[in-house]
Structures are given as structure tokens and as C-alpha cells.
Amino acid sequence: MKNFILKLSFLFSAAFICVSGNAQDSMYHPMMTNPPLFSGNQGFRTWSIGVHGGMMAPFSAFGGRNDFSNWQASLGYGFYIKDQVSHGLGIQADFMRGTLKANNDHLWAGAPPPGPYASFQTDLHWAASLSAVVTLGNINWSQLHTAIQPYLSLGIGGMSFNPNLVTKTGTNVNFSPNGSVSDMYVPFGMGIKANLSPMVNLDLGYTVAFVDGDDLDGYFKDPFLTDKFSYAHIGLEFSLGDRRKPQLARHNAPAQLVGMITSGDDALRASLAASEARYNARLAELNELRGLRDELARLKMDTDGDGVSDYFDKCPNTPAGTKVDGSGCALPTPPPPVRTQDTVIEKTTTYVITPEDRRIVDEAFRNLEFDFAKATIRPRSFPYLDRVANLLKTKNISLKLAGHTDNVGSVEANLKLSKNRAESVKNYLIAQGANGSRIEATGYGKSQPIATNSTEAGRQKNRRVEFTIF
């Protein structure tokens, strides 16, 4: 018995060490796909077949003796077909055959007196059973496709065998002259399966068969307890079906659920980060618009009410009602009118608008530029506006400024921008000494295009401030 246990332990240890080197990899096929959780078994390989071989002996590792004191190990082999109906449960049909041997050469302490037979040999013609196989778990819960799965099995079956006895005097006795005896038996097994590849598993197992009778060794011995035998085996299991599908028994559903939760967390964090970035961008735009609003309010502020904003007013705090020029300074007092009898004749000077005057205004119109989406005049336009201011001061003529935009943006925003740009030109001319009372600034937004807004060139022409002198 000790030699058998040593051989069995060595066999299982060597096989387990060989598998452990590859256990972490799980040899996952690169084209394998994982079905969604709670989608049934359609996306898995559930059917498999297996072959195995090992040693049989008429004893049980769980205790109890048969009718002979000294059992001997013999060769056994078999095959099975299994359907994995869920992650943890499979239905397996087994077939095996082999030989069982024992004698009474060595009696253990307290053993009852041996019977009339010296030894026996039973040829197990076949043993077939149907068992439920429960997968207990796996070694590494963090892996989606586990490498090692312990299991337990329990079933019921039938067997056919023929015992042959040898008496103490050396006479052979055939227990069944007809050639075979049939009995029912209950197989109880345990073991581990280790994955060698996506299609092949190593099977290490131990099964105890409880026979429904005391005739396995051909000898009925008081107290007529049922016989039993053990089968320790090593074998290969071949998974059937599409190799792109994972094996159901080695698929770790909790690990897949953890992966889904982790992926969902990553996606949520990415979405929150993107939302935060968009919020910060909108906040920056809002702060910029607030700055523009404050700047426009500062440019429009007219503390002394003389019609010239404080930004351009060179003579602040002028008395109320004082007529001022474009720089906010008081105009000189006009000479008194000449009286002839009862008629007052105003001394006025009439100026004629010449082609040169119009050329100066047209040149300023063509060269007027603003910063993008703002009412800030670019410095390159200043020389042309200076000539217009000088013209207004010299000839004391009037000027109408009409601001226009393209159709990009809302009506309110375009109307406001066109008005602000016209006002910006007016304020600049006033700052150069032009008479603000002779300058009219109006904004029309996008209501009066002079070209199509469907092209960039057309939109460029529509973004303008028109000058009209009279």
C-alpha cells in the first residue's frame, strides 16, 4: 500500500509541476472573444472528450477494507464525454476498464482471520457511469481565463467483471463460470484540471467506486460489506467546437464583471475630464467677454456729459452745456453777427466737397481694419483716419459712419459689433480733433450685405464701415 501511495504522489506532483510553469499564461488564443455576461452558453465551448490512464486497486483512501488484506496496484484506463451546462456544473459519461488484484500475504494488526483464498484477480470488463462534475473554483481569481480548476464528481453506473480466486493450495476457482458478473456502483471523484492550450486540458483525478455488492473479489465474507475500489489517473481533455470561443469551465465570470466595471470607471473618468475641459474653455471665453464688456463701458463713459468719452476727452469736467470739439475741449466763441437794420446776417463759409475729398474718405474705407470679432482699430489704419479727421476739421463737413457685418453669429451680436465699430471710428476721429456733433455712427449688423455670404471673399466684403461725407 505504501509503495502505491508513493507512486501515486510522485505521479501527481510531477504533473502539477509541469503544468505550473504554464499556468499563469493560460495560453489564451488571440482571436478568442468573450461573450457578454448573462448571455447564456452560446458563446462558449461546452462539449469535450477525454482519455486517461492510471492505477486501480481494491481499496479506498477514505477508509475501509475489502475481503483481502494486501491489495496490489494494476493498470486501468478509460475515456469520457462531458457537457458543461454552466460555469460550475458539467454532466459527464465515463467508461473505464482494468484489473483488480489482492492477496492475504500481509495481515494488518487486528485483522480477522483470512478466508480459504490466498489471492484474487478481477478483470473489469467495463464500467460505465453518468456523473455530475462540480467545478469548485480556480487558483487565480484575477484572470479572465483561469489556468487550474479543482473539481468534485458524483454519479451512478453499472459494471461487468469476472473474479478469479486462488486457494491456499494453489487451486484456481472461477467465481462466475458464465464469464461475467454485473453490479451497480457509485463513483465519487475529485481532481484538478490544468490548461495546456486553448483546446487541451491536463486531467489529474482520483475516484472511489462503491460497489453495490460483496462479490467484486469473488468472496462473500462476513459481515458482507459492499466492496470498493480506487482509480487514480492522469489524462488529457480535448475541448470541442470553435477555438475562438472560450471554454465555459475555465471562464471566470467575476473577473469579467470586474473588468467591465473598471472599463466603465475609466470611461466615466474620461468623460468627466472632457466635460471639465469644456467647462474651463467656456469659462475662459466668458471671462474674455466680461473683459470686453468692461472695456466698452470704460470707453463709453462720459463723466462731464459733453458727448466725448472720458477715454478721448482731453478737457475733462467741462461745464454743462458747453459746446466742445472732438477732443472734448470748449469751442471758441463765434464773432457776433453783423446787424443791418433788422436783419441778422450770419457769417458762414460754404465748402464744396471735391474729388480729392472723396478719395481721402475712400482710401480710409479700404484700409480700415479691426481685430477679429472686436471693435479695436488696428494701428495700420491710423494714418488714413488721420487724413479724414484733418479733412473734417479743415472743411467742417459732416460724416456718416455705417457699420456692417457678415451673417456669422446671432442678429444681436452682429448688430452690437457693427455699432461698436462705427462708434470706435467716431471716437478716434474725435480724439484727433474732429467735431463729434458732425459725425453720426450707426450699426446695421448683417441686414445690408453687398456680396454673398456663402464664400469667404463675400463675407470679407460684408464686414465694413462705410464713410459718407456731406
Side-chain angles (χ1 to χ4, degrees), residues 52-54 56 74-79 95-100 123-128 160 229 231:
H52 49 75
M56 285 184 171
S74 302
L75 178 66
Y77 57 91
F79 67 89
F95 175 87
M96 64 178 175
R97 63 177 303 170
T99 302
L100 299 169
D123 294 326
L124 183 61
H125 299 154
W126 56 264
S160 175
F229 68 91
Y231 176 49

Side-chain angles (χ1 to χ4, degrees), residues 46-318:
T46 59
W47 286 94
S48 61
I49 58 174
V51 294
H52 49 75
M55 290 177 283
M56 285 184 171
F59 93 107
S60 168
F62 302 116
R65 299 278 181 171
N66 288 332
D67 298 330
F68 288 79
S69 61
N70 184 44
W71 51 263
Q72 297 173 303
S74 302
L75 178 66
Y77 57 91
F79 67 89
Y80 64 84
I81 182 169
K82 186 180 74 169
D83 179 21
Q84 192 74 28
V85 297
S86 70
H87 284 83
L89 178 64
I91 304 299
Q92 180 170 304
D94 287 279
F95 175 87
M96 64 178 175
R97 63 177 303 170
T99 302
L100 299 169
K101 296 179 182 180
N103 57 50
N104 285 321
D105 292 350
H106 304 287
L107 296 179
W108 66 92
Y117 300 105
S119 65
F120 84 93
Q121 175 176 318
T122 296
D123 294 326
L124 183 61
H125 299 154
W126 56 264
S129 63
L130 187 65
S131 301
V133 182
V134 178
T135 302
L136 299 179
N138 53 72
I139 301 301
N140 191 346
W141 280 99
S142 65
Q143 297 296 319
L144 181 59
H145 300 278
T146 59
I148 298 175
Q149 302 92 37
Y151 67 87
L152 294 175
S153 65
L154 180 66
I156 189 169
M159 56 191 297
S160 175
F161 55 92
N162 184 21
N164 288 282
L165 299 151
V166 179
T167 65
K168 294 180 179 179
T169 60
T171 303
N172 289 323
V173 178
N174 189 346
F175 178 79
S176 176
N178 295 328
S180 65
V181 178
S182 297
D183 268 337
M184 300 290 290
Y185 76 102
V186 175
F188 171 73
M190 64 183 64
I192 60 172
K193 289 186 179 178
N195 306 113
L196 302 180
S197 77
M199 305 293 290
V200 181
N201 304 322
L202 180 68
D203 183 15
L204 305 174
Y206 173 75
T207 301
V208 177
F210 299 91
V211 183
D212 184 26
D214 191 27
D215 52 358
L216 183 63
D217 50 15
Y219 178 41
F220 293 100
K221 183 178 180 180
D222 186 56
F224 306 108
L225 299 176
T226 57
D227 289 332
K228 60 192 74 69
F229 68 91
S230 296
Y231 176 49
H233 69 267
I234 180 171
L236 294 177
E237 181 183 51
F238 301 92
S239 180
L240 305 178
D242 189 347
R243 66 184 296 117
R244 291 174 298 180
K245 296 181 179 180
Q247 297 182 41
L248 181 58
R250 64 178 292 204
H251 181 259
N252 189 351
Q256 184 176 359
L257 180 60
V258 170
M260 291 175 58
I261 294 173
T262 302
S263 299
D265 289 345
D266 293 342
L268 180 59
R269 281 192 288 269
S271 177
L272 289 175
S275 298
E276 184 178 4
R278 290 193 297 270
Y279 170 77
N280 291 334
R282 297 291 187 273
L283 185 60
E285 293 177 0
L286 180 60
N287 291 334
E288 183 178 359
L289 291 175
R290 287 171 177 168
L292 290 175
R293 179 196 62 190
D294 295 341
E295 179 67 15
L296 288 174
R298 187 176 67 88
L299 291 176
K300 291 181 177 181
M301 186 176 295
D302 182 11
T303 305
D304 54 11
D306 59 2
V308 179
S309 69
D310 292 349
Y311 184 79
F312 297 104
D313 199 340
K314 296 181 179 178
C315 300
N317 302 319
T318 54

